[in-house]
Amino acid sequence: MANSRVCLLRHSFNSILHPSSNSITSMSSRSVLPTRRLITSSSNEPLVASMSAEEAVITSNKSTRWKPMCLYYTQDKCTMMQDSSHLQRFNHSFSLEHSLNVDEYKNKHSEHLDFFLVLDLEGKVEILEFPVLMIDARTMNVVAFFHRFVRPSEMSEERINQYIEGKYGKLGVDRVWHDTALPFDEVITQFEEWMSKHSLRSKELDGPLNRAAFVTCGNWDIKTKIPQQCKVSKMKLPSYFMEWINLKDIYLNFYNRRASGMRTMMNELKIPLLGSHHLGIDDTKNIARVLQRMLMDGAVLKITARRNRLVPDKVEFMFENRIK
């Protein structure tokens, strides 16, 4: 099928979480905006690619063996895994080339947390994108990634097409969204299988996460949007969404200054924005870079919000000094 052979590509996790100093220097004087290019495969079918300015810098550096990430692969739907030319051209691995210097890692993270699950949802009416980056709390290495586009359940096809064109069309992601998006309940089923594979869920029924915690940039994702989507999708709120770490509250209490969002934190910490803002997969990686910087500065991540298990709509905020 022609649609399934169209590969929309993004930058690799390594270039995002651990950009070289040369790349950062080159980018600091200009904004990072996505550009598009057409690549021709061996079958002469165009492969639509999206490449940020940072990627262009890396690609132009002949000493850097960089390959763009295949977005169909992140959805487990790449149909060209047997095509050697495709594999040589596009990245299908999430492994990091540059590990964190443990000697410079000052953070004494909470002993009960082994992993941070960075989550940044997209979609105001219904959830459209569900990306989670799994990070080792001790080394800050990315050990796994879950990424799915989500198909709304209470919209007509015409409304969905308009919604996706407005949201993702300008980013060049509308085609891969239509090819791969699944209903929310199916995404959650696959997410739970992924968590079980990585031993992130406790063995008890309806138990919490196992030595892991979600990290979000604000309370909206888990406090508000996931419960709303569960109601729309007529499903029970999963027990592992009972607590989370709001990076804004950690930032406020550690640096003693307020940050309204990811962009503010990145600007204040002199971290360049990479990729496309409001593309969930890119925002998740940028939030992970902020998280990494905070941990290296010595911040300790603790749970900032917890639901009442008997009354899930009731949320207790653990920090008196917090972003409201």
Side-chain angles (χ1 to χ4, degrees), residues 30 47 87 136 165 169 208 225 241-242 283:
R30 66 183 187 278
L47 304 178
L87 295 178
D136 189 308
E165 174 60 29
K225 196 58 193 178
F241 288 127
M242 291 297 168
D283 283 351

Side-chain angles (χ1 to χ4, degrees), residues 1-7 45 72 175 179:
M1 183 184 297
N3 287 357
S4 64
R5 291 180 60 83
V6 177
C7 286
E45 293 181 355
Y72 282 93
R175 183 66 173 271
D179 283 352

Side-chain angles (χ1 to χ4, degrees), residues 148-175:
R148 292 292 184 274
F149 288 113
V150 186
R151 178 171 292 277
S153 58
E154 291 194 341
M155 288 186 188
S156 65
E157 283 301 311
E158 180 180 2
R159 179 69 181 98
I160 288 176
N161 290 336
Q162 294 173 348
Y163 193 22
I164 297 307
E165 174 60 29
K167 170 67 178 175
Y168 289 123
K170 60 184 179 182
L171 303 178
V173 186
D174 50 332
R175 183 66 173 271

Side-chain angles (χ1 to χ4, degrees), residues 45-63:
E45 293 181 355
L47 304 178
V48 181
S50 180
M51 183 171 64
S52 71
E54 191 268 347
E55 294 171 345
V57 171
I58 294 178
T59 303
S60 64
N61 185 349
K62 295 182 180 180
S63 64

Side-chain angles (χ1 to χ4, degrees), residues 284-300:
T284 299
K285 290 180 282 188
N286 278 316
I287 293 170
R289 294 168 62 226
V290 173
L291 167 64
Q292 182 184 53
R293 169 63 183 277
M294 292 176 64
L295 290 171
M296 292 182 69
D297 284 350
V300 177

Side-chain angles (χ1 to χ4, degrees), residues 110-168:
S110 300
E111 293 182 356
H112 69 287
L113 293 179
D114 289 335
F115 299 102
F116 300 122
L117 304 179
V118 182
L119 166 70
D120 191 73
L121 303 174
E122 288 296 330
K124 294 182 178 179
V125 181
E126 290 193 44
I127 294 175
L128 299 177
E129 190 177 355
F130 191 102
V132 178
L133 195 66
M134 180 180 174
I135 297 177
D136 189 308
R138 290 179 172 80
T139 66
M140 280 304 297
N141 287 335
V142 176
V143 295
F145 190 90
F146 180 87
H147 180 225
R148 292 292 184 274
F149 288 113
V150 186
R151 178 171 292 277
S153 58
E154 291 194 341
M155 288 186 188
S156 65
E157 283 301 311
E158 180 180 2
R159 179 69 181 98
I160 288 176
N161 290 336
Q162 294 173 348
Y163 193 22
I164 297 307
E165 174 60 29
K167 170 67 178 175
Y168 289 123

